[in-house]
Amino acid sequence: LAEAAAAAERAAKEAEAEERHRAETARRKAAREAAIAAAINDFLNQDLLQLSSPFAQASAGLTPDANLRLRTVLQRAAKRIDGKFVDEPEVEMKLRYTIGYALQGVQDHTGALAQYQKVIPWFQETLGPDHPDTLLAEQRMALTHRHLNSKTGIRLLEQNLEKHKAVLGLPHAQTLATMNGLGTAYWATTQKEKAIQLFEQTLELRKRHLGPD
């Protein structure tokens, strides 16, 4: 009985220690995520949004422009990342990813590509080559290539789609989005038959797995 009681006490202490360890790990993770969010928010406010005003532009040594275009703001912000987060690579890469995607949205594909080329190797190393975020980043880079060089872009999209199928599966929404992107690339390069076939397949899969709405 004494041995059983001692074993139960040890088990209880081990469980308590494990619970404290989990709580401390969760606390540190939450603190780290909060610090990263604060750093990103500070950069977006100080280095991106604030530079939209003529006064802030002049203060930063830039030629004031009251009608500054979003593309220019993003391009300037991208340059200001360099050397700013030497000890915070996670902050730097999340910012580059966000700005790269925004540049892609305003049709600056060369600028977007420059950001993705820095982000993706870091994603592959830290998250892993099969992580959904890595696959999505590679998909977005392939789409930028498609606008700059259709042949390269299509090849990368085809490879990315195969990775999505293997890792996430065909019904996954991210896989279906990649299929749609490849179909658009086919259509833009006059491969109409391949585009239509892929669009039809994508539509059927989306209806089946995501619902008609």
Side-chain angles (χ1 to χ4, degrees), residues 51-55 57-58 62-69 72 76:
L51 290 183
S52 61
S53 76
F55 177 77
Q57 294 167 45
L62 301 168
T63 302
D65 182 357
N67 299 307
L68 196 63
R69 293 189 306 165
T72 304
R76 288 178 176 177

Side-chain angles (χ1 to χ4, degrees), residues 2-190:
E3 290 182 0
E9 185 178 357
R10 284 197 302 271
K13 288 182 178 179
E14 289 173 358
E16 184 181 352
E18 179 64 26
E19 182 60 30
R20 284 199 304 268
H21 175 72
R22 282 198 297 266
E24 178 61 18
T25 300
R27 186 193 66 79
R28 289 180 179 178
K29 181 181 179 182
R32 176 60 183 158
E33 289 176 350
I36 291 171
I40 291 173
N41 184 65
D42 181 68
F43 179 87
L44 293 176
N45 280 291
Q46 299 299 321
D47 294 80
L48 193 152
L49 297 178
Q50 191 178 51
L51 290 183
S52 61
S53 76
F55 177 77
Q57 294 167 45
S59 299
L62 301 168
T63 302
D65 182 357
N67 299 307
L68 196 63
R69 293 189 306 165
L70 176 58
R71 177 188 286 199
T72 304
V73 173
L74 292 168
Q75 290 168 340
R76 288 178 176 177
K79 290 179 181 178
R80 293 172 76 88
I81 296 176
D82 294 335
K84 195 175 181 71
F85 301 100
V86 177
D87 299 322
E88 298 178 286
E90 188 172 2
V91 174
E92 176 182 341
M93 294 307 164
K94 287 187 175 182
L95 276 170
R96 289 192 183 281
Y97 190 44
T98 299
I99 290 177
Y101 188 51
L103 286 169
Q104 192 174 0
V106 296
Q107 306 301 304
D108 181 2
H109 300 292
T110 300
L113 181 60
Q115 300 306 313
Y116 289 145
Q117 286 174 333
K118 293 179 180 179
V119 168
I120 289 173
W122 187 83
F123 272 29
Q124 291 170 336
E125 182 179 348
T126 58
L127 301 178
D130 293 337
H131 193 281
D133 288 350
T134 303
L135 298 180
L136 181 58
E138 290 173 344
Q139 180 227 75
R140 289 177 175 177
M141 185 173 73
L143 289 171
T144 65
H145 272 293
R146 198 264 290 183
H147 288 278
L148 298 169
N149 183 314
S150 57
K151 188 174 182 180
T152 299
I154 285 177
R155 176 175 56 80
L156 291 174
L157 279 168
E158 289 173 338
Q159 293 172 357
N160 184 255
L161 177 56
E162 291 308 309
K163 287 181 67 176
H164 268 88
K165 289 178 180 178
V167 175
L168 300 181
L170 192 56
H172 196 280
Q174 193 167 302
T175 304
L176 297 177
T178 304
M179 290 175 66
N180 196 71
L182 179 57
T184 302
Y186 284 149
W187 186 269
T189 55
T190 70

